[in-house]
Amino acid sequence: MKILVIDVGGSHVKCIASGQTNPVKFKSGPKLTPHQMVRKVLKITKDWQFDAVSIGYPGVVRYGKIVREPHNLGSGWIGFDFQAAFGRPVKAINDGAMQALGGYEGGKMLFLGLGTGLGSALIVDGAIAAMELGHLHYSEGCNYEDYLGKQGRKRLGNKKWRGKVMDALEGFRKALLPDYIVLGGGNAAKLKRMPPQTRRGDNADALLGGFRLWERQNRNAAGPSGNAWTLPIWFVANHAIE
């Protein structure tokens, strides 16, 4: 089965498909609707062959269905029929969960995506739980996303923002007790140091997670010493994706 993977972000939409070595992307933004997204994806991938689609969506997804409109895109996502639009089977998942799936190495992993907002997911022995930690209350009138997201970094400056990130990591570690934490998103590169049992994710993790979404045979197969999925050889050979 050839898979088209779509990573929908607040600033860009990235795509890659089985057998392709270079992803393609286009700008998204606060006015992007699902109709526009599908049209643009089909346009830039018109020469690609694929049998199924994985979509990483920047919002709440339950049982493969979008149930809440995104904060950083246009409207119309709830109830949109992606399978009809693409003419192929489609699996949708929260974008943070998809990136977490790509970076998972077994055991209990907490993923935090430091991007436009704050993505989050927890994977325990291969079972994925998308989370919305960014919407937890942080201070009066503000949540974690207000401080740790892109706008929070611009408002606070890099030094204070790094301190907020370190404080949040310590709090989430104590509350959720992960074996390790993976930090993804474009702003993860702004951190100068990593706390213990914490590492940066790879830029390719979100796209790899889209392939793994279809490859999983047993969602609980991964243990603390192994991985539940195989990596496509062509993908590993071209793993550095900007």
Side-chain angles (χ1 to χ4, degrees), residues 5-8 14 16 54-56 93 95-103 111 202-212 235 239:
V5 181
I6 305 170
D7 180 23
V8 183
K14 295 181 181 179
I16 197 168
S54 292
I55 299 176
I93 186 174
D95 62 340
M98 191 165 81
Q99 188 169 359
L101 186 58
F111 170 82
D202 192 279
N203 287 336
D205 284 349
L207 299 175
L208 177 56
F211 294 112
R212 286 179 167 178
F235 192 91
H239 197 51

Side-chain angles (χ1 to χ4, degrees), residues 68-151:
R68 190 178 300 171
E69 296 290 345
H71 291 283
N72 301 309
L73 302 173
S75 60
W77 296 81
I78 297 175
F80 185 83
D81 192 341
F82 289 99
Q83 183 161 313
F86 282 106
R88 296 165 177 84
V90 174
K91 288 186 178 182
I93 186 174
N94 171 266
D95 62 340
M98 191 165 81
Q99 188 169 359
L101 186 58
Y104 182 61
E105 295 180 347
K108 185 176 183 180
M109 183 194 85
L110 173 64
F111 170 82
L112 296 174
L114 302 172
T116 304
L118 178 65
S120 53
L122 189 69
I123 305 183
V124 182
D125 294 338
I128 310 171
M131 309 177 81
E132 291 290 339
L133 297 178
H135 295 168
L136 290 175
H137 176 77
Y138 186 91
S139 64
E140 186 175 353
C142 295
N143 57 29
Y144 276 90
E145 189 166 274
D146 294 326
Y147 280 86
L148 305 187
K150 182 178 180 180
Q151 293 303 317

Side-chain angles (χ1 to χ4, degrees), residues 21-220:
T21 56
N22 297 309
V24 294
K25 65 181 180 179
F26 58 87
K27 291 184 178 180
S28 54
K31 295 183 179 181
L32 184 72
T33 68
H35 292 277
Q36 294 170 340
M37 188 274 286
V38 171
R39 186 172 67 250
K40 290 181 179 182
V41 166
L42 291 176
K43 181 178 180 180
I44 65 174
T45 64
K46 59 184 176 65
D47 296 324
W48 294 2
Q49 300 295 318
F50 55 93
D51 306 302
V53 181
S54 292
I55 299 176
Y57 170 76
V60 180
V61 179
R62 290 178 181 163
Y63 306 108
K65 303 292 184 182
I66 293 172
V67 298
R68 190 178 300 171
E69 296 290 345
H71 291 283
N72 301 309
L73 302 173
S75 60
W77 296 81
I78 297 175
F80 185 83
D81 192 341
F82 289 99
Q83 183 161 313
F86 282 106
R88 296 165 177 84
V90 174
K91 288 186 178 182
I93 186 174
N94 171 266
D95 62 340
M98 191 165 81
Q99 188 169 359
L101 186 58
Y104 182 61
E105 295 180 347
K108 185 176 183 180
M109 183 194 85
L110 173 64
F111 170 82
L112 296 174
L114 302 172
T116 304
L118 178 65
S120 53
L122 189 69
I123 305 183
V124 182
D125 294 338
I128 310 171
M131 309 177 81
E132 291 290 339
L133 297 178
H135 295 168
L136 290 175
H137 176 77
Y138 186 91
S139 64
E140 186 175 353
C142 295
N143 57 29
Y144 276 90
E145 189 166 274
D146 294 326
Y147 280 86
L148 305 187
K150 182 178 180 180
Q151 293 303 317
R153 184 180 66 81
K154 289 183 176 180
R155 184 179 70 254
L156 295 170
N158 284 335
K159 184 176 181 179
K160 288 185 178 180
W161 175 80
R162 291 186 191 108
K164 297 293 184 183
V165 171
M166 294 300 147
D167 290 344
L169 289 176
E170 182 63 20
F172 291 149
R173 188 188 304 278
K174 289 179 178 178
L176 299 172
L177 302 176
D179 297 326
Y180 58 102
I181 297 174
V182 174
L183 300 179
N187 282 330
K190 303 292 184 182
L191 298 174
K192 290 186 174 181
R193 63 180 179 87
M194 291 287 113
Q197 288 77 53
T198 303
R199 64 175 174 82
R200 287 188 182 89
D202 192 279
N203 287 336
D205 284 349
L207 299 175
L208 177 56
F211 294 112
R212 286 179 167 178
L213 192 60
W214 287 92
E215 290 174 0
R216 290 188 303 162
Q217 299 299 314
N218 182 349
R219 68 183 300 172
N220 294 316

